C-alpha cells in the first residue's frame, strides 16, 4: 500500500503524478517497457531532477542506470492516487458548464463516471443529457445511495453552491469538486477542491501586464 | 505602479488576491468603507496572518488598528493584476466545453470578453454561439488583429491543442489558457496557464483513498 507512506504528499506533486500516469499509459500503449527519468521528464514537460524526486516515493521501481519499469510504476502511482478503480460522481447544476461536463468523455476515461445529474429548476428536471435523466436536487440523498455516489461536482450559480453542498453532505458524499465561483463550507472529513479557472485568466492578465511594463511587446 | 514592486509574486498569492478583489467588490456594493483584516479573512476563507502577509504589498492602504480602505485596496489589487481594464479573448475549439465558456457570463463580468470563436470543423464554421459567429481557425491571424485579441483560450481535443497554439502565436497572442488535456509549447514571452480540472478529481480521489485507509468512513 504505497499511499500510506506519504500521507502529506504536496498538492503540486499530485498534479505531476497525474501527468506521469497519463504519459506512462501512452508509453505502455506504444509497447515501451522501461523509460529513463530524462525521457519521462521531457514527455511530461517537467525537469528530470523534479521527476526523480517525485518518483523517489516509488523507489523500488527505479533501475539504477536504466530507468523505470513503465507498467509497475504506472500501477503503483495509480494505486496511490486511488486511480486503480472507478469513482461514481453526482453533478449538481445542469447549466452550460454542467452540460459540458456531462458530455466530457475524458472524465469517464480517467475513471470518473457521472452517474447522476441534479438541478432544482423544474424546467430541467426530467430532461435527458448525454443519456442521464436530470433529477430534482432534493432527491440527491436517495439517488446517491442507489447509484453509489462518492464524489459530487458542483456547477450551480455561485448563490446556489452551498445549498448544493448541503444536499451532497446529506447524501453522504466524501469529496466535492466545486466549479461555482463561491466559497463553500463542508466538514473536515469531506475533501473539497475548487476549480476556479478565472484565476488562470487573472494570472495571464497579470503576467501580460508585467511583460508590458517591461516593454516586452 | 504597484505591480513593479513584486515581480515574482507567487502563483498562490495571485489566486488569493483575486478572491480578495471579489470580496472587496461585494463589500463596496454593500457600502462598506473600511474592513479589518480579520473580517476580510473570514469572508475570503483565508487565515488573517496570510491575508496580512499578502496585503503587506499594499501597505499604504492599511490603517493600524482599523483595517483597510475597501475602495483603495480593491483598486490597487486590480491595477496590480491588470484587472482595471478588459481583455479581449479568442476561443479556439467550439465543442461542449467551448460552448459552455462562450455562454459563461461570469468571464465577461470579471473583465474577460470573448470576442472571437474559432474551430476547424466545417460544420461548425458560420454557426452562431451566444451571438458570436464561429470562424475557421485559419482566420485567427486576420480576425485577432481586427478584434484586438490579446488572450487565447484553447478548448480543442488534446490532439489539436498544439495546432490551435500555433494559430494563436501567428496571431500575436500574448497569453494562452489551455483547457485541453495536453502539454503545449509556446515561446517564453507568451504566458501559458493550464486548467486541468481532472487533477482536482485526482486530488479528491487521493484524499478519499487515504481517509478510507485511515478508517474515517
Amino acid at each position: 500500500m504505497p499511499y500510506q507512506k506519504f500521507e502529506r504528499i504536496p498538492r503540486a506533486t499530485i498534479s505531476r503524478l497525474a501527468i506521469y500516469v497519463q504519459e506512462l499509459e501512452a508509453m505502455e500503449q506504444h509497447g515501451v517497457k522501461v523509460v529513463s527519468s530524462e525521457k519521462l521528464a521531457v514527455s511530461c514537460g517537467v525537469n528530470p531532477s523534479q521527476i526523480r524526486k517525485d518518483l523517489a516515493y516509488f523507489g523500488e521501481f527505479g533501475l539504477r542506470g536504466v530507468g523505470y519499469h513503465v507498467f509497475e510504476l504506472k500501477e503503483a502511482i495509480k494505486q496511490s492516487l486511488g486511480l486503480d478503480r472507478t469513482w461514481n460522481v453526482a453533478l449538481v447544476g445542469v447549466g452550460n458548464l454542467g452540460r459540458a461536463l456531462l458530455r466530457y468523455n475524458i472524465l469517464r476515461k480517467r475513471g470518473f463516471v457521472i452517474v447522476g445529474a441534479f438541478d432544482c429548476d423544474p424546467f430541467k428536471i426530467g430532461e435527458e443529457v448525454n443519456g442521464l435523466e436530470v433529477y430534482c436536487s432534493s432527491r440527491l440523498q436517495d439517488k446517491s445511495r442507489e447509484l453509489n455516489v462518492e464524489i459530487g461536482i458542483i456547477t450551480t450559480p455561485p448563490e446556489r453552491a452551498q445549498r448544493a453542498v448541503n444536499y451532497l453532505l446529506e447524501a453522504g458524499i466524501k469529496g466535492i469538486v466545486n466549479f461555482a465561483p463561491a466559497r463553500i463550507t463542508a466538514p473536515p472529513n469531506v475533501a473539497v477542491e475548487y476549480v476556479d479557472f478565472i484565476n488562470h485568466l487573472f494570472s495571464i492578465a497579470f503576467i501580460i501586464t508585467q511583460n508590458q511594463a517591461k516593454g516586452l511587446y
Side-chain angles (χ1 to χ4, degrees), chain A residues 93-106:
Chain A
V94 187
N96 290 317
L97 187 60
R99 281 169 210 271
L101 291 179
L102 286 169
R103 293 175 184 132
Y104 193 61
N105 295 323
I106 294 171

Side-chain angles (χ1 to χ4, degrees), chain A residues 44-61:
Chain A
C44 294
V46 171
N47 73 60
S49 68
Q50 181 68 68
I51 221 166
R52 275 190 292 269
K53 205 177 143 200
D54 290 341
L55 296 183
Y57 295 118
F58 308 93
E60 58 262 51
F61 303 103

Side-chain angles (χ1 to χ4, degrees), chain A residues 25-64:
Chain A
E25 283 182 342
M27 287 175 179
E28 199 188 0
Q29 281 169 12
H30 287 89
V32 179
K33 302 278 184 227
V34 172
V35 65
S36 68
S37 52
E38 287 75 16
K39 223 167 184 172
L40 186 57
V42 168
S43 66
C44 294
V46 171
N47 73 60
S49 68
Q50 181 68 68
I51 221 166
R52 275 190 292 269
K53 205 177 143 200
D54 290 341
L55 296 183
Y57 295 118
F58 308 93
E60 58 262 51
F61 303 103
L63 301 164
R64 191 170 294 276

Side-chain angles (χ1 to χ4, degrees), chain A residues 74-93:
Chain A
K74 183 205 71 178
E75 288 300 308
I77 301 176
K78 285 181 83 168
Q79 195 192 339
S80 314
L81 293 178
L83 300 180
D84 52 345
R85 46 162 291 190
T86 59
W87 296 85
N88 287 352
V89 178
L91 181 140
V92 191

Side-chain angles (χ1 to χ4, degrees), chain A residues 156-158 161 178-183 195-196 198:
Chain A
T156 63
N178 178 26
F179 284 77
R183 296 283 108 186
V195 183
D196 198 348
I198 293 182

